[in-house]
Amino acid sequence: MPTNEELVWSGLKEISVKLKKQEKPVLIDLYTDWCHWCKVMDKKTYGNQKVINYLSKNFYVAKVNAETKDSLTWDTKTYFYNSHYLINEFALYATKGQPGFPTTVILPSENSQPISISGFLEPKELEPILKYFGEREYLTKTFTEYKKTFKPSW
């Protein structure tokens, strides 16, 4: 687990391989180079030691530039840059066609549909989301039910 205050991001292909060996939820930071709040979230949220420690232990994490012109492969499907929307089709898939930046995308398991949370999230706002999926609470209760008894520690 990193102790130097940096999160170790992986690529989507690398995470697909890791998921075959050990299942964990996946967090994808969907960003663009021009997005101010993406940079703030990188520094303030993904630079927070409690966030780093929790993600490192309980999730696979990927950083995906929504405007990449490179092809991206996830779950046996390859996504390409869409010149009409000026965005990679993976970003459209991950946000169900409603891209905004930054977007935190959660994939609870390898074959699950993406859950996207658009906008900047403080560590304290991200904590219940991470713990809901990281501790597999989503299998037995809704997020609304979970939040009623959630006790923050960050």
Side-chain angles (χ1 to χ4, degrees):
M1 185 163 18
T3 55
N4 63 349
E5 304 234 359
E6 284 195 21
L7 205 45
V8 179
W9 299 96
S10 299
L12 293 176
K13 285 182 187 175
E14 189 181 345
I15 288 174
S16 290
V17 171
K18 289 178 180 180
L19 281 169
K20 303 282 184 246
K21 295 175 185 160
Q22 181 185 1
E23 187 156 310
K24 285 185 184 182
V26 176
L27 177 140
I28 299 169
D29 175 31
L30 198 58
Y31 73 97
T32 63
D33 290 333
W34 52 263
C35 168
H36 167 75
W37 287 107
C38 297
K39 292 172 180 64
V40 174
M41 191 157 170
D42 265 348
K43 186 173 184 175
K44 189 169 188 175
T45 304
Y46 295 126
N48 178 289
Q49 195 60 52
K50 290 179 180 176
V51 173
I52 292 166
N53 291 345
Y54 193 83
L55 283 172
S56 298
K57 182 178 176 192
N58 299 289
F59 282 77
Y60 294 123
V61 294
K63 211 174 221 337
V64 174
N65 184 338
E67 297 176 324
T68 185
K69 292 185 177 165
D70 296 336
S71 63
L72 298 170
T73 301
W74 179 256
D75 195 25
T76 71
K77 185 167 175 17
T78 301
Y79 299 87
F80 299 96
Y81 182 74
N82 184 316
S83 57
H84 177 73
Y85 290 103
L86 304 177
I87 198 168
N88 191 289
E89 290 171 345
F90 179 81
L92 295 173
Y93 158 73
T95 63
K96 295 182 176 66
Q98 301 291 316
F101 309 105
T103 294
T104 303
V105 180
I106 307 280
L107 294 151
S109 60
E110 185 176 13
N111 299 312
S112 61
Q113 288 298 304
I115 298 157
S116 60
I117 303 111
S118 187
F120 170 77
L121 296 170
E122 297 265 356
K124 67 182 180 183
E125 295 168 307
L126 189 58
E127 180 185 12
I129 297 165
L130 294 183
K131 291 184 176 175
Y132 178 67
F133 291 103
E135 292 159 27
R136 304 179 67 81
E137 295 286 342
Y138 69 94
L139 295 171
T140 60
K141 55 185 88 160
T142 67
F143 187 65
T144 303
E145 291 169 332
Y146 174 73
K147 277 197 71 168
K148 286 178 186 173
T149 59
F150 178 75
K151 302 279 186 268
S153 61
W154 300 351

